[in-house]
């Protein structure tokens, strides 16, 4: 329920009251500031409330942007201000001060709503001011100005503006030119029929799972159908975000579903391709798992770098300046977005190659493309980090520490490693990961050398976290730990050389990767990292890595396959139950994630 209080003298012929009702507001009227304050106090504290000048002239979509976006506790456009329950106290204080001052908060401001906004801004209350562009939102001071404002409203098609703004401003070439020109109209169709972004997201997931099932048949007809369905799934994937922007239906749950379902769709499709190849006598499970490991590590690099730098101060570098200059040259923008193989280009490539070639060729192309993209983006970010003079915040350091996913062994050993040199956490993490991966790669299955490497990995893991992760390259610590854990599981499963070991490893890495994605989106939603009990229950990255190496050394290949399967099921159950419980009941503020970085 939402309530809007119209203040001032009503204007004959004004549509403002009907506009507010169409946006879901219960409209009340007040003749002056004192009556507005009284009505404001009568609105229950768990409701959204808006104060709107009765003389407002503007587009309906301007009102929608200013008054209905769920992501912001306080928001305002000229002539209107709104507060969700989290912002009610600040609004009430500003209203009371305006009344006690007799309207003197800002003498140059004529209407009450704008005076309240001036008071809120003076209090640094964090009022959101949406970018209106060509949309009109004014409170005219005389009849002539009102007529001019109405003419300006008539001259701009706010529905066209609304459709255009539904499309993400920064997207890949394939999405921008091959999907968005028509998916925005699908989003509007969905909005007019009352469908929600979460329903479209779920439809996209179901479509991708059907595509994976078609790929698993191993027939040419199945591969063609899989490619077509994967493209259609991506169309729906674009539509859900456009629907959210079109109708301003943002939520923490929606952002989580959109992000995690993208990964579930892609990795389920990898599994479908591997199953289809196996039906034709070609074992590509190692390639499928390698593609998942590479893609997940790419995302961890994205997440870690962004968390380390998005709120850093003095965050400039010569390479960043060069990037800005290149962005001013139109064609370079698209080339740079395409070579990093964003989700649109990646899924289009997978779909076409599935339909026309074999799963093995599809995975080879995917691995080569993703490896190049990962090298390009990571090298650029390392260069930026070394040349910029950024000062990172405590929040960024905590986010990076949470992303490491350090478990009970690292927690215990950290008590004994205090006081050791804490310089170069990224170098320590790299050396620790290299030891365990090389130990697995250079020794035969059943050897205890990987266990020794994992033991050193466990001992060094807490050393990398001796001090806050605020150094230039400290954002590399989580990716190094991810690569070490996933790479070790992949190598040991491949060395086992028994049917079912690699699919079991695929399941284990998928379950652990889900946990890591879940942690990222909790942090992005300002809900904090995964609870400590969950991290302890699934062992942390160092505990799981040590356990897998011990199992490989102590068990036969067939027994190792069974152990990996049981471990994958156990981790998946614990992580999924807690994740679903949290996101369904989460009180985190509404967010809208823009998806995989282009």
């Amino acid at each position: 329920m939402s309530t809007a209080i119209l203040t001032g003298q009503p204007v004959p012929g004004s549509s403002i009251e009907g506009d507010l009702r169409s946006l879901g507001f219960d409209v009340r009227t007040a003749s002056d500031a004192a009556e507005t304050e009284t009505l404001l106090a009568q609105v229950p504290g768990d409701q959204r409330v808006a104060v709107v000048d009765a003389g407002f002239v503007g587009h309906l979509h301007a009102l929608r942007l200013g008054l209905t976006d769920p992501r912001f506790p306080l928001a305002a456009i000229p002539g209107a201000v709104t507060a969700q329950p989290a912002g009610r106290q600040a609004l009430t204080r500003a209203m009371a001060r305006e009344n006690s001052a007799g309207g003197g908060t800002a003498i140059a401001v004529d209407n009450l709503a704008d005076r309240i906004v001036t008071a809120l801004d003076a209090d640094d209350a964090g009022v959101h001011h949406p970018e209106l562009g060509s949309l009109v939102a004014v409170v005219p001071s005389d009849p002539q100005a009102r007529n001019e404002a109405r003419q300006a409203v008539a001259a701009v098609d706010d529905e066209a503006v609304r459709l255009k703004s539904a499309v993400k401003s920064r997207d890949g070439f394939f999405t921008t030119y091959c999907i968005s020109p028509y998916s925005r109209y699908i989003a509007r169709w969905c909005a007019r029929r009352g469908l929600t972004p979460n329903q479209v997201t779920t439809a996209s997931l179901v479509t991708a799972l059907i595509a994976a099932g078609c790929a698993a048949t191993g027939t040419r007809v199945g591969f063609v159908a899989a490619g077509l369905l994967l493209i259609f799934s991506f169309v729906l994937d674009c539509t859900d975000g456009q629907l959210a922007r079109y109708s301003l239906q943002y939520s923490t749950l929606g952002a989580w579903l959109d992000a995690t379902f993208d990964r579930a769709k892609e990795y389920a499709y990898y599994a479908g391709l591997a199953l289809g190849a196996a039906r034709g006598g070609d074992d590509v499970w190692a390639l499928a798992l390698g593609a998942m490991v590479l893609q997940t590590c790419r995302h961890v690099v994205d997440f870690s770098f962004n968390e380390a730098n998005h709120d850093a101060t003095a965050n400039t570098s010569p390479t960043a300046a060069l990037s800005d200059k290149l962005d001013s040259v139109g064609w370079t923008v698209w080339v740079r977005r395409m070579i990093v193989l964003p989700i649109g280009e990646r899924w289009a490539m997978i779909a076409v190659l599935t339909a026309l070639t074999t799963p093995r060729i599809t995975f080879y192309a995917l691995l080569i493309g993703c490896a190049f993209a990962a090298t390009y983006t990571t090298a650029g970010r390392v260069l930026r980090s070394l040349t910029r003079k950024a000062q990172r915040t405590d929040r960024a350091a905590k986010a990076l520490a949470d992303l490491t996913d350090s478990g009970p062994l690292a927690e215990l050993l950290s008590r004994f490693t205090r006081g050791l040199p804490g310089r170069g956490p990224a170098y320590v993490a790299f050396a620790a990961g290299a030891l365990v991966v090389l130990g697995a790669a250079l020794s035969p299955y059943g050897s205890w050398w990987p266990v020794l490497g994992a033991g050193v990995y466990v001992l060094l893991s807490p050393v990398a976290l001796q001090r806050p992760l605020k150094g230039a390259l400290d954002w590399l610590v989580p990716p190094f730990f991810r690569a070490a854990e996933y790479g070790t599981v992949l190598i040991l499963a491949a060395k086992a050389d028994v049917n079912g070991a690699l699919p079991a490893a695929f399941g284990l890495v998928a379950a652990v990767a889900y946990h890591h994605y879940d942690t990222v989106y909790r942090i992005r939603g300002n809900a904090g990292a995964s609870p400590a009990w969950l991290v302890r229950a699934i062992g942390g990255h160092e505990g799981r890595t040590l356990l897998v190496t011990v199992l490989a050394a102590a068990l036969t290949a067939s027994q190792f396959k069974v152990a990996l399967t049981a471990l994958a099921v156990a981790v998946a159950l614990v992580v999924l139950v807690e994740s679903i419980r949290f996101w369904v009941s989460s009180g985190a503020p509404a967010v809208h994630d823009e998806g995989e970085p282009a």
Side-chain angles (χ1 to χ4, degrees):
M1 186 66 180
S2 302
T3 300
I5 303 171
L6 275 178
T7 65
Q9 296 300 318
V11 178
S14 173
S15 64
I16 182 62
E17 186 170 346
D19 288 344
L20 289 170
R21 292 188 189 282
S22 72
L23 294 176
F25 286 93
D26 175 30
V27 181
R28 304 178 188 179
T29 59
S31 58
D32 55 26
E35 189 176 358
T36 301
E37 185 176 15
T38 300
L39 291 176
L40 183 63
Q42 293 173 1
V43 177
D46 60 349
Q47 290 187 17
R48 175 191 287 274
V49 66
V51 177
V52 184
D53 193 278
F56 176 89
V57 175
H59 287 99
L60 176 63
H61 191 48
L63 282 172
R64 182 181 290 107
L65 289 172
L67 301 183
T68 66
D69 196 323
R71 295 173 295 174
F72 308 102
L74 292 163
I77 57 174
V81 60
T82 186
Q84 293 194 68
R88 283 289 297 275
Q89 188 175 9
L91 179 67
T92 301
R93 283 199 305 267
M95 182 74 247
R97 191 160 66 252
E98 173 59 30
N99 259 349
S100 65
T105 301
I107 298 174
V109 178
D110 293 328
N111 68 77
L112 177 61
D114 286 354
R115 292 201 301 270
I116 293 173
V117 174
T118 302
L120 288 169
D121 286 339
D123 289 342
D124 197 21
V127 180
H128 171 65
H129 297 273
E131 181 63 47
L132 298 180
S134 59
L135 296 175
V136 177
V138 295
V139 180
S141 57
D142 55 59
Q144 181 179 350
R146 179 171 296 277
N147 287 334
E148 292 174 352
R150 285 175 172 169
Q151 291 174 9
V153 169
V156 176
D157 183 353
D158 74 334
E159 178 60 18
V161 173
R162 187 181 179 189
L163 265 177
K164 183 178 180 180
S165 63
V167 177
K168 201 191 305 185
S169 59
R170 187 178 186 273
D171 222 330
F173 181 88
F174 179 77
T175 304
T176 300
Y177 290 104
C178 300
I179 304 296
S180 292
Y182 58 89
S183 62
R184 69 183 75 181
Y185 295 102
I186 300 176
R188 181 171 68 181
W189 183 89
C190 292
R192 291 177 175 177
R193 282 153 184 79
L195 297 176
T196 67
N198 291 352
Q199 290 171 332
V200 178
T201 301
T202 303
S204 176
L205 173 66
V206 172
T207 303
L209 293 179
I210 296 173
C214 290
T217 63
T219 64
R220 179 51 52 193
V221 172
F223 287 149
V224 172
L228 292 173
L229 286 170
L230 187 64
I231 290 295
F232 182 58
S233 174
F234 183 65
V235 172
L236 293 176
D237 184 55
C238 295
T239 300
D240 63 2
Q242 291 164 359
L243 175 58
R245 286 182 286 272
Y246 181 85
S247 56
L248 299 185
Q249 297 183 72
Y250 301 129
S251 69
T252 302
L253 176 62
W256 170 74
L257 287 176
D258 185 44
T260 54
F261 280 11
D262 277 353
R263 305 288 75 77
K265 288 180 286 190
E266 186 168 1
Y267 300 155
Y269 192 82
Y270 292 176
L273 277 179
L275 287 170
R279 286 179 177 272
D282 190 11
D283 186 355
V284 297
W285 274 106
L287 298 178
L289 179 51
M292 181 168 65
V293 169
L294 180 56
Q295 192 57 38
T296 303
C297 289
R298 276 189 66 195
H299 286 139
V300 175
V301 168
D302 291 336
F303 300 146
S304 295
F305 182 81
N306 291 336
E307 286 299 329
N309 291 286
H310 84 280
D311 57 355
T313 58
N315 201 16
T316 59
S317 73
T319 51
L322 175 61
S323 178
D324 292 338
K325 288 181 180 179
L326 289 174
D327 283 344
S328 65
V329 182
W331 66 270
T332 68
V333 174
W334 294 116
V335 170
R336 293 166 64 215
R337 290 184 189 179
M338 291 174 67
I339 63 176
V340 300
L341 210 62
I343 188 170
E345 277 76 357
R346 192 168 69 251
W347 283 27
M349 180 186 75
I350 294 171
V352 170
L353 291 177
T354 297
L356 300 180
T357 66
T358 65
R360 179 171 291 274
I361 293 175
T362 301
F363 280 123
Y364 279 151
L366 181 62
L367 285 165
I368 292 170
C370 286
F372 176 81
T375 302
Y376 170 79
T377 55
T378 305
R381 287 168 176 171
V382 168
L383 188 58
R384 286 191 184 194
S385 299
L386 292 174
T387 57
R388 70 181 10 146
K389 303 297 182 182
Q391 297 179 3
R392 295 181 173 87
T393 63
D394 291 337
R395 177 198 174 281
K398 185 179 187 308
L400 290 177
D402 290 334
L403 288 175
T404 63
D405 191 34
S406 297
L409 291 178
E411 185 180 347
L412 175 64
L413 291 171
S414 66
R415 303 174 186 176
F416 304 98
T417 58
R418 290 171 186 162
L420 292 178
R423 296 182 180 277
Y427 302 112
V428 174
F430 175 79
L435 280 172
V436 66
V437 170
L438 288 175
L442 298 179
S443 57
Y445 177 80
S447 169
W448 285 90
W449 284 109
V451 178
L452 178 60
V456 177
Y457 176 77
V458 170
L459 291 172
L460 290 178
S461 295
V463 176
L465 302 177
Q466 283 302 294
R467 62 175 177 79
L469 298 177
K470 295 183 179 182
L473 297 177
D474 289 358
W475 56 271
L476 285 168
V477 172
F480 283 152
F481 285 156
R482 293 297 79 74
E485 180 182 359
Y486 300 160
T488 301
V489 174
L490 167 59
I491 292 169
L492 290 177
K495 292 266 187 177
D497 195 23
V498 62
N499 287 337
L502 280 166
F506 189 97
L508 176 58
V509 172
V512 175
Y514 176 90
H515 164 62
H516 291 144
Y517 282 115
D518 186 63
T519 300
V520 166
Y521 286 98
R522 288 179 189 239
I523 294 172
R524 281 190 172 183
N526 295 318
S530 300
W533 72 263
L534 176 63
V535 177
R536 294 191 185 105
I538 59 176
H541 70 93
E542 78 289 352
R544 289 187 300 269
T545 303
L546 179 61
L547 175 60
V548 170
T549 59
V550 170
L551 291 174
L555 302 177
T556 66
S558 296
Q559 292 171 334
F560 180 60
K561 174 190 69 175
V562 174
L564 282 183
T565 303
L567 184 58
V569 171
V571 172
L573 283 176
V574 174
V575 169
L576 281 172
V577 169
E578 162 56 21
S579 177
I580 294 171
R581 181 209 64 78
F582 171 79
W583 289 105
V584 170
S585 63
S586 174
V591 297
H592 179 67
D593 186 72
E594 288 297 320
E596 181 179 318

